[in-house]
Amino acid sequence: MRKRYEYERRRLIENLVLEGVIRSEKVRDAMLNVPREEFVLEEYRKWAYLDQPLPIGYGQTISAPHMVALMTEKLDPEPGDIVLEIGTGSGYQAAVLAEIVAKRDPSRRGHVYSVERIPELAFFARKNLEKTGYIDYVTVVVSDGTKGYPDKAPYDRIIVTAAAPDIPKPLIEQLKPGGVMVIPVGDLGVQRLLIVRKSVNGEVHVLEDTYCLFVPLVGEYGWRL
Ligand code: SAH
């Protein structure tokens, strides 16, 4: 069974390389190393390497592999970076980031802080990160991520994996000069992936990338559902 997943993982990742979604060695290696089958619900395990989102309970989903690949490429994390993720979900995206910023070279002391509003999902993610060996590099926090996580700010990179009506102000404030944020912004039916860069002198530039569809970012600076 394990061999089968490894084969399917390699096939999916190599396809994403051929399609031009994965462009860098670091994203390719990270996605080859993280076992997605360990981040989905038992009943969906055999679908782990379909390039699709899958339900993780509580009306939420683990993002499709091509979306994780694309967002990680746009975020362009470096070893040693301190990363903030909003929307831990299954913990899969956090593991892919941890692989790049921390696990490769623990001496650089990179780390991922990941915020989740649903306590049961934070528990699910911690369990998944523990069994796959990423828990030392990822801290899962239960709170409203639209307010960011001021305790460890500022961040080199910020990634939001839920759909926001606008870029939450606290997240712009908690981004380091020279930092990058990737966030889907739009209405609940469709969003645009925004690449937000803060220059070294603090100017903020926004680039509109691909169309996408995420579950809503619910909170004070998000959707008030
Ligand atoms: N990155 C995840 C997928 C996330 S799905 C993965 O790799 O599996 C989006 C997640 O964002 C859901 O778990 C949802 O509960 C969470 N979320 C929505 N609004 C939030 C908020 N304000 N703060 C933190 N998490 C939030």
Side-chain angles (χ1 to χ4, degrees):
M1 215 46 183
R2 176 118 179 244
K3 272 260 154 6
R4 189 193 116 188
Y5 287 128
E6 273 171 26
Y7 170 78
E8 290 187 354
R9 187 183 317 136
R10 182 160 289 276
R11 197 177 52 178
L12 171 71
I13 305 307
E14 295 309 342
N15 267 323
L16 292 173
V17 172
L18 285 175
E19 289 163 12
V21 179
I22 295 179
R23 293 162 184 270
S24 68
E25 203 119 304
K26 64 184 170 189
V27 175
R28 176 176 172 270
D29 288 351
M31 291 190 68
L32 281 173
N33 280 335
V34 182
R36 190 172 189 256
E37 72 274 17
E38 301 292 344
F39 291 83
V40 301
L41 296 173
E42 192 59 44
E43 58 266 41
Y44 294 110
R45 246 174 121 89
K46 58 175 179 297
W47 310 117
Y49 292 102
L50 286 186
D51 194 3
Q52 281 184 22
L54 293 169
I56 52 174
Y58 309 92
Q60 310 302 321
T61 53
I62 176 174
S63 304
H66 72 269
M67 193 44 70
V68 173
L70 186 93
M71 289 179 93
T72 311
E73 286 287 359
K74 301 287 174 187
L75 193 69
D76 193 23
E78 302 282 357
D81 276 355
I82 304 300
V83 180
L84 175 66
E85 179 190 32
I86 309 303
T88 317
S90 67
Y92 176 71
Q93 172 76 71
V96 170
L97 294 169
E99 183 70 37
I100 296 171
V101 304
K103 204 175 181 195
R104 290 253 119 156
D105 182 2
S107 71
R108 304 282 296 271
R109 308 180 73 83
H111 199 83
V112 179
Y113 294 91
S114 188
V115 183
E116 172 56 54
R117 66 181 272 272
I118 301 175
E120 290 84 354
L121 284 178
F123 181 81
F124 176 59
R126 281 194 202 105
K127 196 182 65 180
N128 298 339
L129 291 161
E130 212 168 279
K131 68 181 174 189
T132 50
Y134 291 99
I135 198 70
D136 290 349
Y137 313 107
V138 181
T139 304
V140 180
V141 179
V142 179
S143 78
D144 175 5
T146 66
K147 299 187 212 164
Y149 184 51
D151 297 33
K152 301 290 173 182
Y155 300 95
D156 298 293
R157 300 288 187 268
I158 299 180
I159 180 170
V160 182
T161 60
D166 273 303
I167 308 171
K169 219 163 128 213
L171 297 185
I172 295 180
E173 286 162 7
Q174 290 172 33
L175 187 63
K176 247 185 219 173
V180 183
M181 164 162 48
V182 176
I183 176 171
V185 171
D187 58 38
L188 293 177
V190 66
Q191 304 94 35
R192 202 85 196 252
L193 193 65
L194 303 186
I195 320 296
V196 182
R197 285 172 208 283
K198 196 187 255 190
S199 69
V200 278
N201 50 24
E203 284 172 45
V204 176
H205 296 270
V206 180
L207 223 137
E208 293 189 345
D209 206 273
T210 177
Y211 287 93
C212 53
L213 180 57
F214 281 82
V215 294
L217 180 75
V218 179
E220 190 175 330
Y221 296 87
W223 293 100
R224 305 201 172 222
L225 300 177

